Amino acid sequence: MQRLEFSHPIYKISPDPYDPYVGIEIRDSEQRKAYVQSLACAEDGHFFSQNQTPLVEVAWWVNMLGCFHGVILYHSFEEPEVPRPTALHALDGRTGEFLWTVSNRIWQETLDTIVRVQSGEESYEFLDLRTGQSVPQMPSQSALHEIRLPVHYPEGNVHLATLQKLIRYTTENHPIGACDYLELTPLIIISYYFYESEKLKNNLLVVTNTGQVQFHEPLSLGDAQGHTTFINWRHQLIYIKDQVYLCCYAVS
């Protein structure tokens, strides 16, 4: 188990599918400041110190899209009430250097070192990841480190009752509302909510498919600030605790 503490709430985590980095988006709501950072990881998925890469301040109205080869891509919005992004930006999360900005382009996907962007209603362009310059076409796909995200089961989902029964059986807690679920044979990972002493709590549960509890951790009181629950990447379960701790737990 590893735990890194940040000075402000972690809003989003985005593991790099190519290189051993994790992009982090951090937000200070009181000061309305946003920051991004690429954390370097060891071969086993554990993070090095945050001091090895810079924490970079960006505009408040941004949306981090992902981390690719250590480069963080994000959209910016000139008019917050209009959800359409007005520019695409790239910065090197390893050095803090801003690499490029293109206006009126919407990110679609990143494959290796090429970024596909939408430039019109039905038109697309291919940009070099590090320079932002146009390139003729997409390359062949490089080897990826699979990133597995949980499935969200909202209230009313036909599978939710089965998950809630498993939670009650293994923890004696009484879950309410939606759950996030991921199966990594032979493990089952569930993020769920329940009331304790009249307070809404969020726990993360890891059990085997035979019902043996491997890990059971409180995550937060009430709803989490961001929308990242947990991620499986490089044989690690990565999740956020109390909004300011980035945690890493080996699952295979």
Side-chain angles (χ1 to χ4, degrees), residues 12 51 219:
K12 186 186 294 186
N51 297 328
L219 296 184

Short mmCIF file of all heavy atoms in Angstrom, two decimals, residues 12 51 219:
data_model
loop_
_atom_site.label_atom_id
_atom_site.label_comp_id
_atom_site.label_asym_id
_atom_site.label_seq_id
_atom_site.Cartn_x
_atom_site.Cartn_y
_atom_site.Cartn_z
N LYS A 12 -9.13 14.50 -10.70
CA LYS A 12 -9.10 13.47 -11.73
C LYS A 12 -7.72 12.82 -11.77
O LYS A 12 -6.71 13.48 -11.56
CB LYS A 12 -9.42 14.08 -13.10
CG LYS A 12 -9.56 13.06 -14.23
CD LYS A 12 -9.73 13.76 -15.59
CE LYS A 12 -11.01 14.52 -15.69
NZ LYS A 12 -11.21 15.07 -17.07
N ASN A 51 7.82 15.54 -5.83
CA ASN A 51 8.83 16.57 -6.09
C ASN A 51 9.65 16.30 -7.35
O ASN A 51 10.40 17.17 -7.80
CB ASN A 51 9.77 16.70 -4.89
CG ASN A 51 9.04 17.14 -3.63
OD1 ASN A 51 8.07 17.89 -3.70
ND2 ASN A 51 9.50 16.66 -2.48
N LEU A 219 -13.21 5.58 1.98
CA LEU A 219 -12.70 6.55 1.02
C LEU A 219 -13.02 7.98 1.41
O LEU A 219 -12.18 8.85 1.34
CB LEU A 219 -13.27 6.27 -0.38
CG LEU A 219 -12.88 4.95 -1.02
CD1 LEU A 219 -13.43 4.87 -2.43
CD2 LEU A 219 -11.37 4.78 -1.03
#
